[in-house]
Amino acid sequence: MMEETTENTGKLSSQKNVAASGHNHHHRYKYLSNYGAGKRFLFFASCFGFYALVAATYAWFVFPPHIGRTDHVSSSSLGCREDNEGSWSIGVFYGDSPFSLKPIETINVWRNESGAWPVANPVITCASFTNAGLPSNFVADPFLYVQGDTLYLFFETKSPITMQGDIGVAKSIDKGATWEPLGIALDEAWHLSFPFVFNYNGEIYMMPESNEIGQLNLYRAVNFPLSWKLEKVILKKPLVDSTLIHHEGIYWLFGSDHSSFGAKKNGQLEIWYSSSPLGTWKSHKKNPVYNGNRSVGARNGGRAFLYDGNLYRVGQDCGENYGKRIRVFKIEVLSKEEYREVEVPFSFEASHKGKNSWNGVRQHHFDVKQLSSGEFIGLVDGDRVTSGDLFHRVILGYASLAAAISVVILLGFLLGVVNCIVPSTWCMNYYAGKRTDTLLNLETTGLFSEKLRRIGSRLNRVPPFLRGFVKPNSSMGKFTLGVIVLVGLLLTCVGMRYIYGGSGAVEPYLFKGHLSQFTLATMTYDARLWNLKMYVKRYSRCPSVKEIVVIWNKGPPPELSELDSAVPVRIRVQKQNSLNNRFEIDPLIKTRAVLELDDDIMMPCDDIEKGFRVWREHPERLVGFYPRFVDQTMTYSAEKFARSHKGYNMILTGAAFMDVRFAFDMYQSDKAKLGREFVDEQFNCEDILLNFLYANASGSGKAVEYVRPSLVTIDTSKFSGVAISGNTNQHYRKRSKCLRRFSDLYGSLADRRWEFGGRKDGWDL
């Protein structure tokens, strides 16, 4: 009895020791597990935190917010949001015939009330409607209706609220130079577009596309132009872009039915005919008259027109992408049995600015009318991006961010801080001896899970030679880690670029509903030719640049063929090397605004567009990007001095907008003669002289206006070695001497100071 008890006691003691050992092991395992979890958390938190910091910094530097777009569209507005269908807008063209139309900016139409000298396309945008209280993402499909000297324009406007097209209308009383948004002419529960407007028997009708409901509706104006009533369903077919032609007493209806069997989208065209636009309609014998390649221009691209006794149909080429270009066809035969047309040469003045031009990527609709003056006016819609661009960018952006996350996980595997764990409950082995009928049904899944578990185990056993490449204490390890981290950062920045960087287009800033253009002028010479080539290539692509004038001061000038420019370039060769040449009167300049910009300054086009927008508000001022403050000591100092005094009273004309007539006439006046002579003597200070002249002309008013450039502005003179201001100390001494001399001649600037941050839009902070 005692022996049995002792034996049992020994067993019990042994079990307690094992239990205690297991308990200790469990605590140790739990500690190690917690330690590993903490290590992994720290790894991921540090990696993702670092990547997030870099991404935010990158976005802050490269994609500054477009704050305070006065008279444009605020960030809180519903309108002008990026749309996957595009960013269509409408421009106006003039000419002696439909085949010689030129954009409005070439006609040189000026409008003082909106600071447009000259008015530039597009004349109707999403902002035009949004600012009138009618939110719109884009405007397209323009159709013109003429009543005497008043023009009415009907077009599709994409509502950002319903995300469908409505029919908008605007009015012009100055031959299309300015347009007043009137409102929404037609709003249905379905998508509307292509508002073909025409007159029949003294009534005004509209036949918009409504293929979404499978029929073609005809509306009659009850109270033109804003009130319409459904008159009739003229055809029970889901036609797109339908237009009417009245020819030889018969009405011909042209449209595309992409729902019919075998129809090629954007490559199909059908014809019907009737004695009246109200029907009944009969199908053409040769239907479909087109059904093939979408690049042939089968789909209608506007109203057919009659010119010089010939009938022309407008089509759109959808070959490369939807609405790529407009094509025009001369109709040779149109009868109930036959239809034949032939393409004729047709094109608009091409822009070479790509996405920075409102119609640089595609144009797909054209309507032309002859005015009472005999002049032809054409309305065209254009886009700077392709359909699906937004979706494409978002997909690429998130794919890049997913790839960056994968790089972090890969790095974790190589460092051994990340393990791939498949829960045992996923695998059928876990249920050995515990199977039920329900579990038997999961066997196939379990086998897959078992394979997944094995793959995870193999991933956890990273070969030692691979881990040797990432040892932080070795040179190879540091290099490999650096490369992996760099790839992750690159992928993160690429993702941010696609998601938040927009389409990559630079858009101009509206002022009172109008866009305009300016002339860009720079002064240079033969030793700085490489600067000039970069300068022209870069700035000629800015949206509002009309022409570049190169003021050539010394040496043989380059051939125009050496310069890659998207706008005309004019090289003005000077007789003598003088800084006064910068402000020489030039009657060939056709714009009111001139941007004097040194050839060694490289700044984003968006900064320049902001400066131009501010100058249009205050054309009597010198508007620029580099402020200076001059106090009573008359000592020239850098911008830091102005910042320390929280104000400025001078703007350097190395990057400044000015009124070409006002500024140049003033600079070349007799009053400025002594100042010009001193500029020649010092070979410096022409910009300081112009500031003194502006101050005199403004009286007690503000003479200069500052616009803050972005942080990515670069001064390439630091790398060229040919800058006038290469020796800073000597340069500043000369300019201080100029300040004292000009103060004696024209009065002091010291009593003037304008604070930074005076603008509501924050562009002068």
Side-chain angles (χ1 to χ4, degrees), residues 393-590:
R393 285 188 280 112
V394 169
I395 291 296
L396 287 178
Y398 283 110
S400 298
L401 293 181
I405 293 172
S406 300
V407 167
V408 173
I409 295 172
L410 172 64
L411 186 61
F413 270 117
L414 293 175
L415 292 174
V417 297
V418 176
N419 292 319
C420 181
I421 300 174
V422 179
S424 59
T425 53
W426 287 17
C427 303
M428 291 308 296
N429 288 344
Y430 175 80
Y431 297 102
K434 304 178 184 180
R435 294 191 178 188
T436 64
D437 291 339
T438 304
L439 291 175
L440 286 172
N441 294 330
L442 299 174
E443 186 167 359
T444 303
T445 306
L447 292 173
F448 172 75
S449 299
E450 183 65 30
K451 291 177 182 177
L452 191 64
R453 185 179 176 85
R454 288 173 187 158
I455 292 171
S457 298
R458 291 192 184 102
L459 286 174
N460 293 334
R461 295 193 294 271
V462 178
F465 78 91
L466 285 179
R467 283 193 171 148
F469 281 114
V470 293
K471 285 184 177 178
N473 56 353
S474 68
S475 298
M476 177 59 75
K478 291 176 182 177
F479 175 76
T480 307
L481 285 172
V483 169
I484 293 173
V485 170
L486 195 60
V487 168
L489 289 175
L490 181 62
L491 288 168
T492 302
C493 292
V494 168
M496 295 294 291
R497 172 69 182 83
Y498 278 120
I499 296 171
Y500 296 107
S503 64
V506 179
E507 298 186 41
Y509 292 77
L510 283 168
F511 177 57
K512 294 185 178 178
H514 270 147
L515 296 172
S516 189
Q517 292 183 319
F518 63 86
T519 300
L520 182 62
T522 189
M523 187 166 61
T524 189
Y525 58 102
D526 53 356
R528 297 162 68 101
L529 181 58
W530 72 278
N531 272 61
L532 180 65
K533 289 181 177 180
M534 287 194 303
Y535 178 99
V536 169
K537 183 175 182 178
R538 179 182 186 85
Y539 292 124
S540 67
R541 270 77 181 174
C542 294
S544 300
V545 174
K546 182 180 179 68
E547 179 191 30
I548 296 178
V549 177
V550 179
I551 303 160
W552 195 261
N553 261 6
K554 187 175 69 173
E559 297 292 331
L560 291 178
S561 59
E562 296 180 58
L563 305 175
D564 178 6
S565 180
V567 299
V569 176
R570 179 163 55 90
I571 299 177
R572 196 178 78 204
V573 181
Q574 302 297 143
K575 294 180 180 179
Q576 65 179 42
N577 184 13
S578 169
L579 296 182
N580 290 318
N581 294 334
R582 183 192 290 273
F583 307 120
E584 181 179 300
I585 296 172
D586 187 343
L588 296 180
I589 294 176
K590 300 301 182 185

Side-chain angles (χ1 to χ4, degrees), residues 3-214:
E3 288 179 4
E4 186 179 351
T5 303
T6 303
E7 184 180 348
N8 290 339
T9 303
K11 287 181 180 179
L12 185 61
S13 176
S14 175
Q15 289 172 0
K16 287 181 178 178
N17 289 336
V18 170
S21 174
H23 185 67
N24 290 336
H25 178 73
H26 172 73
H27 276 286
R28 182 171 175 238
Y29 175 78
K30 186 176 180 181
Y31 169 76
L32 290 173
S33 177
N34 289 339
Y35 174 73
K39 210 172 160 187
R40 283 191 290 273
F41 174 78
L42 184 62
F43 169 76
F44 280 116
S46 58
C47 284
F48 291 132
F50 176 60
Y51 278 20
L53 178 63
V54 170
T57 305
Y58 173 75
W60 184 67
F61 269 98
V62 182
F63 314 124
H66 296 284
I67 58 172
R69 281 199 167 193
T70 311
D71 194 38
H72 196 263
V73 179
S74 68
S75 59
S76 61
S77 171
L78 287 172
C80 289
R81 298 304 173 100
E82 280 197 289
D83 196 290
N84 203 46
E85 290 188 65
S87 58
W88 297 96
S89 53
I90 298 171
V92 62
F93 294 70
Y94 301 97
D96 296 328
S97 84
F99 298 96
S100 62
L101 297 172
K102 295 185 180 298
I104 188 171
E105 47 265 34
T106 64
I107 310 301
N108 210 29
V109 177
W110 287 27
R111 288 292 178 269
N112 292 332
E113 64 276 7
S114 58
W117 307 289
V119 175
N121 277 327
V123 293
I124 300 181
T125 66
C126 62
S128 307
F129 243 47
T130 300
N131 288 337
L134 304 162
S136 172
N137 276 359
F138 63 75
V139 291
D141 294 353
F143 279 99
L144 198 60
Y145 189 85
V146 181
Q147 281 188 340
D149 292 330
T150 302
L151 308 182
Y152 293 94
L153 190 66
F154 295 85
F155 48 88
E156 174 193 353
T157 172
K158 175 84 174 277
S159 168
I161 301 171
T162 62
M163 294 306 289
Q164 71 179 26
D166 301 321
I167 304 304
V169 60
K171 181 179 75 171
S172 174
I173 56 174
D174 59 0
K175 297 200 305 182
T178 60
W179 294 88
E180 175 192 356
L182 298 180
I184 300 298
L186 196 58
D187 180 6
E188 297 283 21
W190 53 87
H191 172 81
L192 296 171
S193 60
F194 208 82
F196 182 83
V197 181
F198 65 99
N199 190 289
Y200 175 68
N201 284 348
E203 300 281 358
I204 303 174
Y205 293 91
M206 183 196 300
M207 188 177 68
E209 177 192 310
S210 52
N211 74 301
E212 190 176 301
I213 57 172

